[in-house]
Amino acid sequence: MNPASLELRSVDLQSPRNNQAHHTQEMGLKRLIVRRGQPFMLQLHFNRPFHQGTDHITFIAETGPAPMELSGTRATFSLTQTRQGNVWSASDFTIDSNLLSVSLFTPSNAVIGSYTLKIETSQGQGYSSTHSLGTFFLLFNPWSTEDDVYLPSETLLREYIMMDYGFVYKGQERFITSWPWNYGQFEEDIIDICFEILNKSLYFLENPSKDCSQRSDVVYICRVVSAMINSNDDNGVLQGNWGEDYSLGVSPLEWNGSVAILRQWSARGGKPVKYGQCWVFAGVMCTVMRCLGVPTRIVSSFRSAHNVDGNLTLDTYYDRNAEMLSTPKRDKIWNFHVWNECWMIRKDLPPGYNGWQVLDPTPQETSSGLFCCGPASVRAIREGDVHLPYDTPFVYAEVNADEVIWLFGDGQVQEILAHNTSSIGKNISTKMVGSDQHQNITSSYKYPEGSPEERSVFMKASKKMLGSRRASSPFLDLLGSRDSQDQPAQLQLHLARTPEWGQDLLLKLHARRVPNRTHPRGPIKLQVRFCAQALLHEGDTQGPLWRQIVHLNLDFGEEIEWPLLLPYINYRNKLTDEKLIRVSGIAEVEETERSILVLKDISLKPPHLSIEVSGRAEVGKALRVHISFTNTQTVALSHCTMVLEGSGLIRGQLSNDLGTLAAGHTIQIQLDLYPFKAGHRQLQVLISSNEVKEIKGYKDISVAAAGAS
């Protein structure tokens, strides 16, 4: 071997310094994790000083199973004094004795992934040798103006990339509940699992080289991840379950966050985790996308449509006893549905559709043969530009479809009870930036309901989605023949007090006589049949759990309030884990032989959980946590378990069996946590029992660095 040849003795990837500069320090400091379009520093220690004139160093970066320069999965670049634009380069070097410090730059459109880095050293035409420098991860860079995911706000980047906890909004449109969720995208093994997800996709298994070469494209990555979060086509992360039997896995209500799900999926060799529903799918996708460097948030839409045939109409049926009937059609109105929005430039669309894009990993319909959805531009949805990819018609219908409610009897539809043009896509909500509150973002999805703009957009979208089908829609004939709003009375159902699980429910029927065309004045007689049913998350109902009939006489101009009592014993063992009840009433008007529908969805409030901390939180020091829970129910809660989770506070999860908690009794729990990361953290606590699954609480905790005064 030529004694004068340049030989590498050691390398310092300077991971702590680089990770800090690239906003990846939360993922750890031992491995190099950088973002594309931004330089990072290396130090190479050789056997002798580097001689610029005679020594040649070529860097080789490779990713994927078959790296090729043509595919963008292999890059070779020589050491130069200055950077060469938006290409792989090694430049701005300094020489200090045998130490060479060099700045490496990755282009802002580079393939993301796990890379190996090597150098080849030579002198002139003579001997050359290759040395491995190690590995590094390359991620999207929302801090870089040249990256397709660039987000020009440090405040928004803190929220949508760096925040490792958040909230899912659940319940129903008039009673929105906050559900804390631990994203945990910076836990040290999560980045490995995210790339494992990409490597188990059908696209990768079918053509690994082609798949890796497309990983420079955020739109492509979004579609792959959307398909891989569910397991309908592949060994995706989560198996959905919208029944009530979760005995072979974990109830969707009992997850606190994404980390346990992702770790279980990886540890079992990519076997889907049981079970997920929409908020679990969206929570896990948010973790993966934030980890990969794409600004992402969770969005909840209340009364969200699943319109299978794309006719922008959903039909619901009731019988004369006010019972909501099941239907063989797959159309659904979810009480709420949760999806993701990712921020990006859409180079595949005309100008004007950049920004937030809808991604929905919940398996509802196929897209290009796989169960995935999006990215669909939120602006395209608002403007009714449903011809633009991807899956924009489906998302448009989720927030804009019309609802037609029919009276069904003797084997056929008899009457339209309501045609609602504004009952779908209500209170579309996401977490407010820098706050635990929710923010209503409905106006970014559609113009105000009933406004000329909203109706104009609806007609524009209808023409594109339905064409001639719209004109021949059968329900429009019936709609035109009768004014369903022209009724001699107005009925409303109100709650007389906060509905709590374990208590009798008190409602009031408010009835008011109003003039109408066929019966402008004079008294009317009403027979109102009421029915209560457990409401499932996807909008279906179970059998009746309570019925009542009320007879009313209403004089012209008269208003009546009629009390209704739904006893706890009627619903005690009848509700699903969601604790939702639909109370329906159908009033038959004797004088007109017409029917009036009144509805009320009730979300039962679970018992309250209290969490307090004593003293100051500091990395490595004991932090005393006090958890208090009172069983306010009239019955005991059996098989109570408690699970604690919180990135930076707890490694993994802490679980406790609490046994049975008698009615009216309080349990007090004290324990010590040892925070291991500084900054804003969130402790999530879930108490679950056979009777109530989702007793949840959280505590925001600010952790000081070790030794900070």
Side-chain angles (χ1 to χ4, degrees):
M1 186 181 291
N2 182 356
S5 65
L6 191 67
E7 296 292 337
L8 184 70
R9 292 286 180 256
S10 65
V11 60
D12 181 3
L13 297 179
Q14 300 204 311
S15 300
R17 172 185 171 183
N18 287 321
N19 290 9
Q20 191 85 31
H22 286 248
H23 306 93
T24 61
Q25 70 277 10
E26 287 279 315
M27 297 182 185
L29 302 175
K30 293 176 183 174
R31 299 190 291 176
L32 181 60
I33 305 169
V34 292
R35 300 187 187 276
R36 64 187 193 176
Q38 184 177 338
F40 59 96
M41 297 298 298
L42 303 179
Q43 284 190 340
L44 307 178
H45 186 249
F46 291 105
N47 59 326
R48 61 169 175 78
F50 169 76
H51 298 305
Q52 193 173 347
T54 55
D55 291 325
H56 300 286
I57 299 179
T58 301
F59 288 81
I60 304 151
E62 295 179 326
T63 187
M68 291 187 296
E69 298 207 19
L70 202 61
S71 301
T73 50
R74 185 176 196 266
T76 59
F77 47 102
S78 298
L79 186 63
T80 56
Q81 193 59 60
T82 55
R83 204 168 87 206
Q84 307 295 311
N86 190 34
V87 293
W88 289 86
S89 60
S91 62
D92 302 307
F93 61 86
T94 59
I95 304 165
D96 181 7
S97 186
N98 293 2
L99 203 63
L100 178 70
S101 298
V102 61
S103 171
L104 263 60
F105 180 81
T106 61
S108 57
N109 59 351
V111 165
I112 66 162
S114 173
Y115 279 80
T116 60
L117 188 62
K118 298 179 286 190
I119 58 168
E120 196 176 82
T121 61
S122 63
Q123 291 86 38
Q125 300 301 310
Y127 170 82
S128 69
S129 59
T130 302
H131 308 272
S132 172
L133 301 185
T135 61
F136 67 94
F137 282 106
L138 188 64
L139 305 176
F140 291 109
N141 192 352
W143 281 268
S144 167
T145 56
E146 302 303 313
D147 201 302
D148 285 351
V149 299
Y150 173 58
L151 182 58
S153 163
E154 195 62 43
T155 303
L156 297 184
L157 287 164
R158 262 199 311 275
E159 183 72 47
Y160 298 131
I161 290 286
M162 302 304 293
M163 186 74 79
D164 62 3
Y165 61 86
F167 296 92
V168 176
Y169 298 102
K170 298 176 60 183
Q172 40 116 338
E173 58 170 308
R174 299 187 201 283
F175 188 75
I176 297 174
T177 56
S178 298
W179 180 269
W181 192 265
N182 181 40
Y183 299 126
Q185 69 267 32
F186 300 130
E187 298 285 318
E188 290 198 12
D189 54 343
I190 295 300
I191 187 171
D192 303 273
I193 297 171
C194 289
F195 284 107
E196 189 183 340
I197 288 169
L198 298 183
N199 291 345
K200 280 197 163 66
S201 80
L202 292 180
Y203 294 104
F204 181 86
L205 297 175
E206 192 177 291
N207 191 333
S209 296
K210 184 183 178 187
D211 173 74
C212 285
S213 73
Q214 291 180 278
R215 291 184 187 178
S216 58
D217 179 5
V218 64
V219 171
Y220 179 78
I221 291 286
C222 282
R223 285 184 65 73
V224 171
V225 174
S226 172
M228 276 300 294
I229 298 300
N230 69 71
S231 60
N232 283 41
D233 315 286
D234 42 43
N235 285 320
V237 177
L238 278 159
Q239 182 176 323
N241 185 341
W242 287 269
E244 285 298 303
D245 181 7
Y246 306 119
S247 56
L248 297 178
V250 175
S251 161
L253 291 165
E254 294 186 57
W255 297 112
N256 269 339
S258 309
V259 177
I261 295 167
L262 289 167
R263 284 177 174 162
Q264 182 180 319
W265 176 81
S266 178
R268 296 182 182 179
K271 187 178 177 185
V273 175
K274 300 174 180 178
Y275 292 105
Q277 288 182 11
C278 63
W279 67 92
V280 188
F281 290 114
V284 173
M285 181 153 187
C286 190
T287 297
V288 173
M289 298 312 294
R290 285 188 185 183
C291 182
L292 295 177
V294 182
T296 305
R297 64 188 186 183
I298 281 183
V299 172
S300 297
S301 176
F302 295 87
R303 304 207 82 242
S304 178
H306 178 182
N307 187 206
V308 176
D309 53 15
N311 66 352
L312 287 175
T313 304
L314 292 104
D315 300 303
T316 311
Y317 301 90
Y318 288 83
D319 67 14
R320 292 206 174 275
N321 294 315
E323 181 180 343
M324 183 179 167
L325 304 174
S326 60
T327 166
K329 279 188 73 176
R330 286 175 56 224
D331 278 4
K332 294 183 176 72
I333 302 175
W334 303 79
N335 304 319
F336 66 92
H337 184 51
V338 184
W339 58 71
N340 301 95
E341 286 179 359
C342 292
W343 180 274
M344 70 192 73
I345 291 169
R346 290 295 299 273
K347 289 178 178 171
D348 59 324
L349 300 184
Y353 298 96
N354 300 332
W356 291 115
Q357 314 287 320
V358 171
L359 275 304
D360 190 350
T362 299
Q364 294 188 84
E365 297 297 321
T366 58
S367 173
S368 302
L370 294 180
F371 277 95
C372 66
C373 179
S377 161
V378 172
R379 181 158 188 267
I381 296 160
R382 187 174 195 252
E383 300 300 333
D385 294 323
V386 293
H387 59 291
L388 297 174
Y390 289 88
D391 310 305
T392 310
F394 181 78
V395 183
Y396 181 85
E398 283 187 300
V399 298
N400 284 295
D402 284 0
E403 179 188 19
V404 180
I405 304 177
W406 303 84
L407 182 64
F408 191 87
D410 301 327
Q412 62 183 11
V413 292
Q414 298 183 333
E415 187 180 342
I416 284 183
L417 296 170
H419 171 215
N420 299 324
T421 61
S422 60
S423 65
I424 302 296
K426 308 293 283 183
N427 282 349
I428 303 173
S429 299
T430 191
K431 179 183 175 297
M432 192 178 287
V433 174
S435 163
D436 287 354
Q437 303 301 308
H438 74 270
Q439 176 185 357
N440 189 321
I441 57 168
T442 310
S443 61
S444 65
Y445 279 82
K446 51 187 175 179
Y447 289 96
E449 294 285 7
S451 67
E453 296 91 345
E454 185 265 341
R455 283 290 98 184
S456 168
V457 165
F458 187 83
M459 294 311 296
K460 171 183 168 184
S462 298
K463 279 181 185 172
K464 287 177 180 169
M465 290 172 69
L466 302 176
S468 59
R469 281 195 293 158
R470 187 73 188 169
S472 62
S473 184
F475 83 87
L476 286 179
D477 302 332
L478 191 44
L479 274 179
S481 67
R482 277 184 146 165
D483 183 0
S484 59
Q485 304 304 314
D486 187 38
Q487 296 282 18
Q490 291 176 349
L491 303 181
Q492 288 180 312
L493 277 170
H494 299 286
L495 285 163
R497 69 182 183 200
T498 302
E500 294 192 16
W501 190 86
Q503 310 289 334
D504 294 344
L505 304 180
L506 293 176
L507 298 100
K508 286 181 183 173
L509 171 67
H510 184 90
R512 179 167 167 255
R513 171 74 171 96
V514 292
N516 73 321
R517 277 203 306 264
T518 57
H519 221 74
R521 307 183 79 80
I524 57 170
K525 291 181 180 176
L526 301 177
Q527 180 180 342
V528 193
R529 291 183 171 90
F530 288 100
C531 176
Q533 295 166 273
L535 190 58
L536 304 175
H537 170 51
E538 71 267 30
D540 291 336
T541 53
Q542 294 185 334
L545 53 86
W546 170 85
R547 294 187 187 274
Q548 189 165 329
I549 299 177
V550 172
H551 295 272
L552 298 176
N553 293 315
L554 276 177
D555 286 327
F556 183 73
E558 185 180 8
E559 294 188 33
I560 291 176
E561 278 200 343
W562 191 276
L564 299 168
L565 176 71
L566 201 170
Y568 169 56
I569 195 160
N570 281 65
Y571 71 79
R572 176 180 170 182
N573 297 316
K574 304 281 180 64
L575 297 191
T576 66
D577 290 342
E578 290 288 335
K579 302 287 184 275
L580 283 165
I581 297 174
R582 170 162 292 173
V583 178
S584 317
I586 291 183
E588 289 186 8
V589 184
E590 190 175 295
E591 288 75 12
T592 64
E593 298 184 349
R594 296 279 306 280
S595 302
I596 305 171
L597 175 71
V598 61
L599 297 173
K600 183 70 176 177
D601 289 348
I602 302 170
S603 184
L604 300 183
K605 191 177 173 186
H608 177 66
L609 184 65
S610 169
I611 309 166
E612 298 297 333
V613 295
S614 298
R616 179 171 173 271
E618 186 179 324
V619 169
K621 290 195 173 177
L623 178 68
R624 178 60 56 94
V625 177
H626 307 264
I627 300 166
S628 173
F629 170 61
T630 301
N631 179 7
T632 54
Q633 315 305 306
T634 54
V635 295
L637 298 179
S638 57
H639 295 100
C640 295
T641 59
M642 180 178 71
V643 178
L644 283 76
E645 194 167 322
S647 287
L649 298 171
I650 299 166
R651 296 186 190 275
Q653 294 178 321
L654 291 177
S655 299
N656 267 327
D657 285 328
L658 306 178
T660 298
L661 186 58
H665 283 216
T666 298
I667 188 167
Q668 303 267 3
I669 300 152
Q670 291 190 23
L671 49 88
D672 287 340
L673 301 181
Y674 292 85
F676 55 95
K677 283 187 180 179
H680 294 292
R681 305 290 161 197
Q682 188 182 80
L683 175 66
Q684 288 116 5
V685 180
L686 169 71
I687 292 181
S688 188
S689 69
N690 285 355
E691 292 73 21
V692 188
K693 295 291 183 203
E694 50 175 328
I695 305 163
K696 252 198 164 187
Y698 71 94
K699 185 74 174 176
D700 291 335
I701 298 171
S702 185
V703 180
S709 56

